Amino acid sequence: MCARYTLTKAQKELLVRYQVKLPADYQPNYNLAPTQKGLVITADEPDTAQLMHFGLVPYWAQSTKLDFSTLNARSEEIMGKKTFAPLLTHRKTCLVLADGFYEWDKKTGDTLPYHFVLKNRDLFAFAGLWSQWKDQFSGEVYRSFTIMTTAANEIVGKVHAPKFRMPVILSREEEAIWLSKDLGTPDLLSLCDAYPDELMDCYRVDKAVNATVVKGVINNRPELMQAIN
Protein backbone atom coordinates (compact mmCIF):
# COMPACT_ATOMS: atom_id res chain seq x y z
CA MET A 1 0.00 0.00 0.00
CA CYS A 2 1.20 3.50 -0.76
CA ALA A 3 -1.44 6.21 -0.49
CA ARG A 4 0.76 9.15 0.48
CA TYR A 5 4.32 10.06 -0.40
CA THR A 6 6.76 12.96 -0.70
CA LEU A 7 8.74 14.66 -3.43
CA THR A 8 10.44 17.69 -1.95
CA LYS A 9 13.49 18.23 -4.16
CA ALA A 10 14.05 21.49 -6.02
CA GLN A 11 14.12 21.50 -9.81
CA LYS A 12 17.92 21.72 -9.95
CA GLU A 13 18.23 18.63 -7.76
CA LEU A 14 15.86 16.69 -9.99
CA LEU A 15 17.82 17.69 -13.08
CA VAL A 16 21.09 16.43 -11.60
CA ARG A 17 19.62 12.95 -11.15
CA TYR A 18 17.25 12.80 -14.14
CA GLN A 19 18.30 14.59 -17.32
CA VAL A 20 14.75 15.37 -18.44
CA LYS A 21 12.63 18.35 -19.31
CA LEU A 22 10.69 19.46 -16.23
CA PRO A 23 7.25 21.11 -16.18
CA ALA A 24 7.42 24.81 -15.32
CA ASP A 25 4.70 24.46 -12.68
CA TYR A 26 6.42 21.74 -10.65
CA GLN A 27 6.37 22.39 -6.90
CA PRO A 28 7.76 20.28 -4.01
CA ASN A 29 5.12 18.30 -2.13
CA TYR A 30 5.51 17.17 1.50
CA ASN A 31 2.25 15.23 1.63
CA LEU A 32 1.30 14.10 -1.86
CA ALA A 33 -2.19 12.68 -1.64
CA PRO A 34 -4.68 10.99 -4.01
CA THR A 35 -5.84 13.10 -6.99
CA GLN A 36 -2.95 15.52 -6.47
CA LYS A 37 -0.31 15.71 -9.19
CA GLY A 38 2.92 13.75 -8.95
CA LEU A 39 5.96 13.86 -11.21
CA VAL A 40 6.39 10.88 -13.54
CA ILE A 41 8.62 9.84 -16.45
CA THR A 42 6.94 7.54 -18.98
CA ALA A 43 8.34 4.90 -21.31
CA ASP A 44 6.65 6.76 -24.19
CA GLU A 45 8.42 10.05 -23.37
CA PRO A 46 11.54 9.16 -21.36
CA ASP A 47 13.14 12.58 -21.89
CA THR A 48 10.26 14.47 -20.23
CA ALA A 49 8.91 14.52 -16.69
CA GLN A 50 5.16 15.11 -16.52
CA LEU A 51 2.70 16.03 -13.79
CA MET A 52 -0.11 13.47 -13.54
CA HIS A 53 -2.87 12.78 -11.05
CA PHE A 54 -2.22 10.17 -8.35
CA GLY A 55 -4.91 7.49 -8.68
CA LEU A 56 -5.28 5.91 -12.10
CA VAL A 57 -8.39 6.56 -14.18
CA PRO A 58 -8.77 3.94 -16.95
CA TYR A 59 -9.49 5.20 -20.47
CA TRP A 60 -12.81 3.32 -20.44
CA ALA A 61 -14.14 4.97 -17.25
CA GLN A 62 -17.32 7.06 -17.47
CA SER A 63 -15.74 9.85 -15.40
CA THR A 64 -12.72 10.60 -13.25
CA LYS A 65 -14.74 9.72 -10.14
CA LEU A 66 -14.34 5.98 -9.52
CA ASP A 67 -16.06 3.74 -6.99
CA PHE A 68 -12.92 1.63 -6.48
CA SER A 69 -9.32 2.46 -5.54
CA THR A 70 -6.61 2.61 -8.19
CA LEU A 71 -3.87 4.22 -6.12
CA ASN A 72 -1.92 0.97 -6.13
CA ALA A 73 -1.59 -2.09 -8.35
CA ARG A 74 -0.67 -5.38 -6.65
CA SER A 75 2.16 -6.76 -8.78
CA GLU A 76 1.27 -10.40 -8.02
CA GLU A 77 -2.27 -9.94 -9.35
CA ILE A 78 -1.87 -7.34 -12.05
CA MET A 79 -2.26 -9.59 -15.10
CA GLY A 80 -5.70 -10.63 -13.87
CA LYS A 81 -6.97 -7.05 -13.55
CA LYS A 82 -8.64 -5.37 -16.53
CA THR A 83 -7.73 -1.94 -15.16
CA PHE A 84 -3.99 -2.62 -15.09
CA ALA A 85 -3.09 -5.61 -17.28
CA PRO A 86 -3.47 -3.80 -20.66
CA LEU A 87 -1.25 -0.98 -19.42
CA LEU A 88 1.60 -3.33 -18.60
CA THR A 89 1.07 -5.31 -21.81
CA HIS A 90 1.27 -2.13 -23.89
CA ARG A 91 4.19 -0.80 -21.83
CA LYS A 92 2.43 2.18 -20.27
CA THR A 93 5.07 2.06 -17.57
CA CYS A 94 6.41 5.07 -15.70
CA LEU A 95 8.78 6.14 -12.97
CA VAL A 96 7.02 7.89 -10.09
CA LEU A 97 9.63 10.22 -8.60
CA ALA A 98 9.78 10.41 -4.80
CA ASP A 99 12.06 10.96 -1.84
CA GLY A 100 9.95 9.18 0.78
CA PHE A 101 6.54 7.74 1.62
CA TYR A 102 4.22 7.53 4.61
CA GLU A 103 2.67 4.50 6.26
CA TRP A 104 0.51 4.31 9.39
CA ASP A 105 0.81 2.05 12.42
CA LYS A 106 -2.72 1.22 13.57
CA LYS A 107 -1.95 -1.75 15.82
CA THR A 108 -2.69 0.14 19.05
CA GLY A 109 -5.96 1.56 17.79
CA ASP A 110 -4.35 4.93 17.18
CA THR A 111 -3.14 6.12 13.77
CA LEU A 112 0.57 6.84 14.01
CA PRO A 113 2.32 8.04 10.83
CA TYR A 114 5.86 7.06 9.83
CA HIS A 115 7.99 8.51 7.04
CA PHE A 116 10.09 5.98 5.13
CA VAL A 117 13.27 7.02 3.31
CA LEU A 118 16.27 5.35 1.64
CA LYS A 119 19.68 5.45 3.29
CA ASN A 120 21.63 5.28 0.03
CA ARG A 121 19.54 7.63 -2.12
CA ASP A 122 17.67 10.83 -1.31
CA LEU A 123 15.74 10.67 -4.60
CA PHE A 124 14.31 7.52 -6.16
CA ALA A 125 11.44 6.14 -8.23
CA PHE A 126 8.51 3.84 -7.63
CA ALA A 127 7.48 1.51 -10.43
CA GLY A 128 4.25 2.88 -11.87
CA LEU A 129 1.69 2.57 -14.65
CA TRP A 130 -0.11 5.47 -16.27
CA SER A 131 -3.22 6.06 -18.36
CA GLN A 132 -4.95 8.81 -20.31
CA TRP A 133 -8.69 9.45 -20.01
CA LYS A 134 -10.57 11.83 -22.29
CA ASP A 135 -13.98 13.37 -21.64
CA GLN A 136 -16.18 12.48 -24.61
CA PHE A 137 -18.08 15.76 -24.41
CA SER A 138 -15.56 18.43 -23.43
CA GLY A 139 -12.44 16.78 -24.82
CA GLU A 140 -10.70 17.26 -21.44
CA VAL A 141 -7.63 15.03 -21.07
CA TYR A 142 -6.84 13.60 -17.65
CA ARG A 143 -3.53 11.76 -17.19
CA SER A 144 -3.08 9.66 -14.08
CA PHE A 145 -0.91 6.95 -12.55
CA THR A 146 -0.83 4.10 -10.07
CA ILE A 147 2.06 2.81 -7.94
CA MET A 148 2.99 -0.87 -8.07
CA THR A 149 3.13 -2.68 -4.73
CA THR A 150 4.64 -5.90 -3.41
CA ALA A 151 4.92 -7.83 -0.15
CA ALA A 152 6.56 -5.63 2.49
CA ASN A 153 10.09 -6.07 3.75
CA GLU A 154 10.64 -6.25 7.51
CA ILE A 155 11.02 -2.53 8.22
CA VAL A 156 7.81 -1.58 6.41
CA GLY A 157 5.95 -4.69 7.53
CA LYS A 158 6.40 -3.80 11.20
CA VAL A 159 4.40 -0.63 10.63
CA HIS A 160 2.03 -1.76 7.90
CA ALA A 161 0.72 -4.86 9.70
CA PRO A 162 -1.44 -6.76 9.02
CA LYS A 163 -1.48 -5.88 5.31
CA PHE A 164 2.29 -6.15 4.91
CA ARG A 165 2.47 -4.23 1.63
CA MET A 166 4.93 -1.65 0.31
CA PRO A 167 5.53 0.28 -2.92
CA VAL A 168 7.93 -1.17 -5.47
CA ILE A 169 11.09 0.93 -5.22
CA LEU A 170 13.41 0.55 -8.20
CA SER A 171 17.19 0.59 -8.06
CA ARG A 172 18.93 3.00 -10.42
CA GLU A 173 19.68 0.15 -12.82
CA GLU A 174 16.08 -1.09 -12.68
CA GLU A 175 14.66 2.32 -13.58
CA ALA A 176 15.87 2.03 -17.17
CA ILE A 177 14.64 -1.56 -17.35
CA TRP A 178 11.15 -0.60 -16.14
CA LEU A 179 10.90 1.91 -19.00
CA SER A 180 12.15 -0.57 -21.60
CA LYS A 181 9.73 -1.62 -24.32
CA ASP A 182 11.92 -4.53 -25.44
CA LEU A 183 11.52 -6.83 -22.45
CA GLY A 184 8.76 -9.33 -21.82
CA THR A 185 6.12 -8.85 -19.17
CA PRO A 186 7.60 -11.53 -16.85
CA ASP A 187 10.93 -9.69 -16.93
CA LEU A 188 9.25 -6.45 -15.88
CA LEU A 189 7.28 -8.12 -13.10
CA SER A 190 10.49 -9.70 -11.79
CA LEU A 191 11.53 -6.18 -10.73
CA CYS A 192 8.57 -5.93 -8.36
CA ASP A 193 10.25 -7.14 -5.22
CA ALA A 194 10.80 -5.57 -1.80
CA TYR A 195 13.60 -3.03 -1.41
CA PRO A 196 16.40 -4.27 0.91
CA ASP A 197 15.73 -3.63 4.60
CA GLU A 198 19.28 -2.54 5.31
CA LEU A 199 18.97 0.31 2.79
CA MET A 200 15.84 1.82 4.35
CA ASP A 201 15.04 3.87 7.42
CA CYS A 202 11.89 5.30 9.00
CA TYR A 203 10.87 7.71 11.73
CA ARG A 204 7.67 8.89 13.42
CA VAL A 205 6.13 12.14 12.28
CA ASP A 206 3.34 14.21 13.77
CA LYS A 207 -0.27 13.13 13.22
CA ALA A 208 -0.83 16.46 11.51
CA VAL A 209 0.20 14.68 8.31
CA ASN A 210 -2.89 12.46 8.53
CA ALA A 211 -5.08 15.22 7.10
CA THR A 212 -4.84 15.96 3.40
CA VAL A 213 -6.82 19.19 3.75
CA VAL A 214 -7.06 21.58 6.72
CA LYS A 215 -9.78 24.24 6.74
CA GLY A 216 -10.18 23.97 2.98
CA VAL A 217 -6.44 24.30 2.28
CA ILE A 218 -4.22 21.45 1.04
CA ASN A 219 -2.04 20.25 3.92
CA ASN A 220 1.41 20.54 2.35
CA ARG A 221 4.27 22.03 4.37
CA PRO A 222 7.84 21.02 5.33
CA GLU A 223 6.99 20.62 9.03
CA LEU A 224 4.96 17.50 8.23
CA MET A 225 8.19 15.58 7.52
CA GLN A 226 9.94 16.49 10.77
CA ALA A 227 10.76 13.59 13.08
CA ILE A 228 9.18 13.53 16.53
CA ASN A 229 10.35 11.78 19.75
Side-chain angles (χ1 to χ4, degrees), residues 14-21 46-48:
L14 293 170
L15 289 172
V16 169
R17 174 63 186 89
Y18 298 97
Q19 289 74 48
V20 294
K21 182 180 178 181
D47 297 326
T48 302

Side-chain angles (χ1 to χ4, degrees), residues 165-183:
R165 303 295 298 175
M166 69 176 294
V168 173
I169 301 171
L170 300 169
S171 70
R172 288 191 175 188
E173 296 73 21
E174 290 172 339
E175 290 176 3
I177 299 172
W178 185 251
L179 294 185
S180 172
K181 294 199 173 190
D182 298 324
L183 296 177

Side-chain angles (χ1 to χ4, degrees), residues 106-191:
K106 302 179 181 179
K107 294 188 293 292
T108 65
D110 203 350
T111 304
L112 307 176
Y114 284 77
H115 190 228
F116 287 84
V117 295
L118 304 190
K119 293 179 179 178
N120 60 335
R121 290 188 288 158
D122 61 358
L123 179 62
F124 57 89
F126 302 124
L129 299 172
W130 71 280
S131 181
Q132 178 171 294
W133 176 88
K134 187 173 183 179
D135 189 290
Q136 60 179 322
F137 301 108
S138 68
E140 171 199 1
V141 171
Y142 187 96
R143 287 187 166 188
S144 57
F145 66 91
T146 187
I147 295 172
M148 302 285 288
T149 66
T150 188
N153 59 19
E154 185 176 355
I155 190 172
V156 180
K158 286 180 179 179
V159 173
H160 200 232
K163 293 185 177 180
F164 298 104
R165 303 295 298 175
M166 69 176 294
V168 173
I169 301 171
L170 300 169
S171 70
R172 288 191 175 188
E173 296 73 21
E174 290 172 339
E175 290 176 3
I177 299 172
W178 185 251
L179 294 185
S180 172
K181 294 199 173 190
D182 298 324
L183 296 177
T185 298
D187 294 318
L188 293 179
L189 289 176
S190 71
L191 304 179

Side-chain angles (χ1 to χ4, degrees), residues 58-71:
Y59 75 91
W60 42 260
Q62 295 299 307
S63 75
T64 58
K65 308 297 183 184
L66 304 178
D67 57 4
F68 56 96
S69 176
T70 56
L71 299 176

